[in-house]
């Protein structure tokens, strides 16, 4: 996307003529539609629309005009193709973090990594090679709540649009998650809903599956059950043990996480209850 | 798609407000848009739009209204979700033909197979199991022109919307092809543009590739160079000789042909010069 | 594989020199090894070996010689590249059955379909087009046991090497399964272990997954938990409802089932507890 | 692979009993076979065998014993699972180099990167973050021969087992290539043999393909025609222009290059004329 592109996300109950009404409103505001995608979810009769447009406008006026023609309740979000501020949480594994730092370093992430936070310091030297602040917030000797509050305070100083869990191996309490509704992206090391919870590669090995995978999803209050953004898989066979599968799986994990962030940071992902609608 | 769904395909030079203008026109004709997809090809600044709608309307009026608001030259096509009439051309290989006859038999092809024509009779008994007329038009002792004219006359009696070349192993003259512009779908047994022409699996084996594929495309006057509709691939390795690759490739061929016909028969494929635009 | 190729499957506790000892024994019997694959499962230190060879030999002598050099307990199986006799069980869905009948008709299944048995008669006319006996064994008004005994008797008249469940939608009791240890191949319409049990596509739709799949496995006493032979997947998105996913999934189901049978009927699949070892 | 594993690669004309003879020889040298794979290329009747074994032995004795039982001419190579020394050549693109530096940094490449050489200095700072020597050898004002001789001298100081062309965008003369027979791995940004030469993504875009790919191959005297080690692909569509395809393709390039190096550095790749035989 070029500079100065605006992105409008609309979702509301469906009714006749919505595409016409929204494009008409944009047209009357003297704006130029560059790309338009919409989708009607038939089960709930819900309308989703993503529009890229260019031109000068007053945000309050456009929102006002749109509210006037949209059925209630309507969700409206105006964004741009500017980079989002993010904070990454990691534990000890480097493959997802390394991939994101590399993409960021070369300007390919569509995000500004403001900081990396981990409960261990093992990735500190590596992270700092890329001139990104690294904070170790150990969980030792703290309750989960104490630990999360400490991290929350730290995150607060960076005011990120999104949190990315790049193999952050601790479960987050509902109290933490509630601060960032649909704003935490996690990479889970299995093809959900197969192998929910810990040690998915060991479970995959023991079950003798022929394909393993990874899942990027928004985090909600239920572990491994948030809206799925992206999944992918890789073939395995009997010659691979759990450790080999974990190694092969890491390639998928980093690719799936990067792909999901590309979608999220370009405002292409709507949340529909426990699912996503992706308009590219 | 349910019954009585209408499909409008529009393509024309791009200009500001086209989505608005088209949806406005449909709206003013009291029609209900069910699904709308559009795409602007930036290089040529060309606009493509596919709209599914329901409701009663007079075709001439709608076309007239649309012509009034669209820039020239505009291509307009009105279709429905009814089955297309097709004729299949084959030679001796059964895998694509068999797959299509099976899908047709169980009502899954979105097409009526009016007849199968081959230059050999080896697939006749098989085809007739499915109560489909089979015509052998041998090429022996005939010039290419004589043979094609004979086939053309036969096809003419069925008046098909599309011809499907299900492993028809003869090259078609430009004179034949010109009768069916963008209405002949061929399955080529390689991942085009690799291995154009005859014996692609032998060439793939000799080159030592690790992946082989198949390509479904519209036929134009240049062999294997028409607009590509769909491609897919399968992994191979050193243990497979040319015959093994051909066998593995046949699985891809039949799946790619079926997938491409699903797109074509649902009016989801635009031709853009030597390429396709697919709006699903 | 050409005619008159013999296949030896050996599995036993691993020890030093087994490849040497087995190939030495084959060599001393004046036989010619065409292909040899072996695998040592490190966790249980178990040895698997599959050897294709040609030449004339006395079976009792070769087995005797092998038993003399192999550690106990050793499983030995001698087979050939001749077609296996099979019986197919189906219910109402045609896509897997149709695919198998087509491959069989054109000599590509490496099996003789002796009969098709269903609890409904809806696929009878179709099956009989291919000159395959079709038996309807209704389950209505019978206990599960009565129904299964009736089917068992019928199967007994065909003495098949394998049973293929081509979308047979009834659960089989342990008493039935025990008649055919590692000789029943089932196609399950999900990417196991995700979505065990009924209605997997509905569950996949409700979970909002981005990839669906199918699993071919040997049937054992635990539903959907037998050794997995083959799996594959296909991408889906938010625009597909449960019915659309089921339709897309059927393409995967038939391809996965066909692929798994290709492996089984060429004696390439060992069972290792709840897993498979596949030596190609 | 654990420490102290030895790898024997044998290829020679096929004859009866070779697996037996080689394993017998290893056995008589008191060595323990851990893994054994072999393949007979039927067209040329050529035998390939890769054996992993452990134990103490005298190399000259083992080679002598093997030569005694193998038909001539036989290629024999003894290696270990120790890391190979490599030198990377790059130009300006970072994605493949970055990926390799990351894997190397975390000990996952099975190689020691001794140095990175480029004809530009743009990747110097980045490379040096990882404490790897970086040499700029500009081609400006030099003939191709002068430039290559300068690079050759520099490479000579590192005595690498392999050269890796990580998007090195200059054609290498036969004189350069001849120094490293089957020891230069290149990543080509297309699915060879489609789009040989420059600007493959532009060509792919203009041809309207639906899948693009990348190819890792050994470099020989003919541009883009050396033995293929690994290939992979990614789907594209009409909405992607040449630049978008190049971006998507970079993901495939880095994954294919990494995968090919994993195979090469574990001595799993034989060269068979213009093809590879890969025994994993």
């Amino acid at each position: 996307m070029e500079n100065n592109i605006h992105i409008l996300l609309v979702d509301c109950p469906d009714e006749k003529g919505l595409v016409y009404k929204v494009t008409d409103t944009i047209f009357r505001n003297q704006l130029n539609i560059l790309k338009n995608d919409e989708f009607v979810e038939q089960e709930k009769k819900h309308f989703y629309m993503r529009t890229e447009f260019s031109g000068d406008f007053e945000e309050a006026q456009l929102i006002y005009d749109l509210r006037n023609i949209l059925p209630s309740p309507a969700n409206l979000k105006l964004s741009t193709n500017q980079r989002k501020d993010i904070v990454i949480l990691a534990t000890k594994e480097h493959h997802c973090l390394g991939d994101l730092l590399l993409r960021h370093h070369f300007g390919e992430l569509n995000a500004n990594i403001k900081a990396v936070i981990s409960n261990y310091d093992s990735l500190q030297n590596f992270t700092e090679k890329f001139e990104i602040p690294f904070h170790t917030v150990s969980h030792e000797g703290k309750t989960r709540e104490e630990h999360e509050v400490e991290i929350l305070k730290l995150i607060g100083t960076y005011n990120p649009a999104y949190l990315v869990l790049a193999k952050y191996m601790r479960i987050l309490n509902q109290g933490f998650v509630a601060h960032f509704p649909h704003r935490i992206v996690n990479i889970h090391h299995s093809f959900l809903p197969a192998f929910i919870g810990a040690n998915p590669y060991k479970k995959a090995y023991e079950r003798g599956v022929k394909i393993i995978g990874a899942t990027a999803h928004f985090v909600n209050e239920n572990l491994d059950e948030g809206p799925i953004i992206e999944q992918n898989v890789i073939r395995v066979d009997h010659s691979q043990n759990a450790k080999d599968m974990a190694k092969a799986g890491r390639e998928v994990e980093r690719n799936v996480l990067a792909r999901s962030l590309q979608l999220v940071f370009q405002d292409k992902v709507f949340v529909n209850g426990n699912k996503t609608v992706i308009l590219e």
Side-chain angles (χ1 to χ4, degrees), chain A:
Chain A
M1 287 190 289
E2 297 159 36
N3 283 330
N4 302 318
I5 292 177
H6 300 277
I7 300 161
L8 172 67
L9 302 184
V10 172
D11 77 83
C12 61
D14 189 34
E15 63 174 37
K16 202 168 163 177
L18 282 177
V19 172
Y20 157 65
K21 287 175 183 171
V22 174
T23 55
D24 180 43
T25 302
I26 294 171
F27 195 61
R28 286 172 195 272
N29 275 265
Q30 312 292 329
L31 300 167
N32 187 32
I33 294 178
L34 302 168
K35 192 169 184 309
N36 192 60
D37 292 279
E38 97 281 340
F39 168 67
V40 178
E41 209 271 277
Q42 295 297 336
E43 199 182 15
K44 300 181 192 161
K45 302 289 179 200
H46 201 79
F47 175 82
Y48 296 87
M49 185 165 176
R50 179 187 186 276
T51 307
E52 292 182 13
F53 62 92
S54 61
D56 294 325
F57 67 103
E58 204 186 332
E59 185 166 328
Q61 179 68 48
L62 182 61
I63 295 288
Y64 179 87
D65 292 351
L66 286 166
R67 291 252 177 245
N68 270 342
I69 55 100
L70 290 172
S72 286
N75 297 309
L76 283 173
K77 181 181 172 189
L78 264 169
S79 182
T80 74
N81 63 339
Q82 300 305 299
R83 295 181 180 186
K84 317 294 190 207
D85 288 344
I86 67 169
V87 167
I88 298 177
L89 272 68
T91 294
K92 287 177 171 175
E93 288 179 89
H94 63 270
H95 58 288
C96 286
L97 177 64
D99 183 64
L100 297 180
L101 289 173
L102 224 60
R103 292 176 192 268
H104 180 261
H105 181 78
F106 290 106
E108 296 171 343
L109 192 61
N110 207 32
N112 299 311
I113 302 178
K114 306 299 284 185
V116 173
I117 302 172
S118 174
N119 46 329
Y120 293 95
D121 65 1
S122 50
L123 294 166
Q124 178 155 6
N125 288 344
F126 173 69
T127 299
E128 290 176 354
K129 282 184 195 295
F130 296 92
E131 289 99 47
I132 304 292
F134 184 96
H135 304 278
T136 305
V137 183
S138 174
H139 59 282
E140 297 201 22
K142 299 168 194 165
T143 65
R144 185 176 302 277
E145 286 68 25
E146 288 167 350
H147 185 237
E148 291 189 354
V149 166
E150 198 175 339
I151 291 177
L152 270 178
K153 282 182 187 166
L154 189 54
I155 292 171
T157 66
Y158 291 108
N159 192 27
Y162 290 96
L163 293 189
V164 176
L165 309 187
K167 303 289 287 179
Y168 182 66
M169 303 308 280
R170 290 175 59 83
I171 294 171
L172 294 169
N173 275 348
Q174 194 169 338
F176 184 99
V177 173
H179 278 78
F180 309 97
H182 306 149
R183 289 168 51 203
I184 310 177
V185 176
N186 181 48
I187 180 70
H188 182 76
H189 41 189
S190 88
F191 184 79
L192 289 175
F195 309 124
I196 286 178
N199 294 321
Y201 293 117
K202 184 161 179 291
K203 290 175 190 165
Y205 167 70
E206 286 168 356
R207 181 61 189 90
V209 296
K210 299 300 185 187
I211 291 178
I212 57 173
T215 304
H217 62 96
F218 287 119
V219 176
N220 67 11
E221 61 275 15
N222 300 312
L223 181 66
D224 298 343
E225 296 195 357
I228 293 171
I229 304 164
E230 172 69 351
Q231 302 186 291
N232 214 338
V233 297
I234 193 171
R235 296 190 79 84
V236 290
D237 66 30
H238 61 267
S239 72
Q240 293 168 278
N241 61 25
K243 201 176 151 193
D244 298 328
M245 288 188 187
K247 187 181 169 188
R250 285 194 287 268
E251 305 281 324
V252 186
E253 291 168 23
R254 81 175 184 165
N255 291 345
V256 166
L257 179 59
R259 170 72 181 143
S260 73
L261 295 181
Q262 188 181 12
L263 295 169
V264 169
F265 297 163
Q266 292 182 7
D267 296 295
K268 293 182 170 177
V269 184
F270 293 81
V271 171
N272 168 23
N274 197 41
K275 303 196 262 188
T276 59
V277 168
I278 297 177
L279 297 183
E280 290 191 77

